[in-house]
Amino acid sequence: MCNSYEHTIVITNRHLVQGDFLKQLEKVTKLHPHALILREKDLTDDAYESLAKKVFDLCEREDITFFLHTKIEIARKIGCQNIHLSIPVLKGLSETEKKALTEDFCEISISCHSMEDVEIAMAGGATQIILGTIFETECKKGVLGKGVEFVREICQKCPLPVYAIGGMNLQRLHLVIDAGAAGCCMMSGFMQTTKTLQ
């Protein structure tokens, strides 16, 4: 079983944190996950930018790859060279904007839910795929998990690193790695105070 965090990507959600959000992220970054995606989609641009600068510092201190979620212009402004996008956002970009993405960002992470999404992501310059929803999760109630075989099917056809999302934890990590994934994304496991993080 994989018991380290090197194959995990942190997806933030400050609403799940009991106590100080930045202190929780400081604990999380000390575990040295592969990367961190600052989600926080409900914040205003100004509030997101202010928070992003602080989290960027935390990630740089621990040498963790830091992604902004959707906020392309804020990422450019603060010098973050990694961006995470959904398929609808990617499809909404002009060809000029897509070209600029590949010029301005080192890592372009795209959320995908099918092989068709993966093909769109690759054509748009993706460097990694976040693939979901693999197991049922509280985050998306009522959405059935697509299972490990879905991960295997995508990984056999996709040359990019694939990170499974949805109901993931360290106990399930080996299942998706065995299926060809580079690792997994976790939200509640990192946001909620657990013995692992104390």
Side-chain angles (χ1 to χ4, degrees), residues 79-98:
C80 177
Q81 294 187 304
N82 311 300
I83 194 76
H84 176 80
L85 304 173
S86 66
I87 286 291
V89 169
L90 181 64
K91 286 168 82 171
L93 298 176
S94 68
E95 289 308 312
T96 303
E97 287 170 324
K98 287 177 188 171

Side-chain angles (χ1 to χ4, degrees), residues 73-188:
E73 291 312 315
I74 293 174
R76 288 187 175 116
K77 187 175 176 183
I78 69 171
C80 177
Q81 294 187 304
N82 311 300
I83 194 76
H84 176 80
L85 304 173
S86 66
I87 286 291
V89 169
L90 181 64
K91 286 168 82 171
L93 298 176
S94 68
E95 289 308 312
T96 303
E97 287 170 324
K98 287 177 188 171
K99 187 172 187 295
L101 266 189
T102 60
E103 291 169 352
D104 296 346
F105 293 96
C106 295
E107 295 285 346
I108 301 169
S109 172
I110 308 289
S111 291
C112 295
H113 299 89
S114 65
M115 192 59 215
E116 182 187 359
D117 284 355
V118 171
E119 286 166 357
I120 292 166
M122 289 194 293
T127 60
Q128 74 175 25
I129 302 297
I130 306 296
L131 185 69
T133 302
I134 306 310
F135 299 102
E136 290 177 55
T137 171
E138 282 295 305
C139 187
K140 295 199 175 178
K141 287 182 180 176
V143 177
L144 292 176
K146 296 185 177 183
V148 174
E149 281 311 305
F150 174 63
V151 178
R152 193 182 311 279
E153 286 169 22
I154 297 295
C155 289
Q156 284 172 351
K157 298 173 185 174
C158 178
L160 302 178
V162 172
Y163 289 84
I165 193 169
M168 292 302 308
N169 54 38
L170 287 183
Q171 288 69 43
R172 288 172 166 170
L173 175 57
H174 74 97
L175 297 174
V176 296
I177 287 180
D178 289 349
C184 76
C185 300
M186 297 187 335
M187 180 186 285
S188 58

Side-chain angles (χ1 to χ4, degrees), residues 36-55:
L36 184 148
I37 298 174
L38 185 67
R39 193 167 177 267
E40 311 314 318
K41 296 194 286 188
D42 60 323
L43 290 177
T44 64
D45 282 355
D46 286 347
Y48 186 93
E49 181 180 335
S50 175
L51 180 60
K53 288 175 181 174
K54 293 170 186 172
V55 181

Side-chain angles (χ1 to χ4, degrees), residues 8-33:
T8 63
I9 294 177
V10 180
I11 310 289
T12 73
N13 183 343
R14 69 193 192 288
H15 300 298
L16 295 178
V17 175
Q18 294 182 344
D20 186 277
F21 180 54
L22 286 172
K23 282 184 180 171
Q24 183 73 3
L25 291 191
E26 192 170 0
K27 290 181 186 178
V28 166
T29 56
K30 287 186 186 308
L31 297 171
H32 297 104

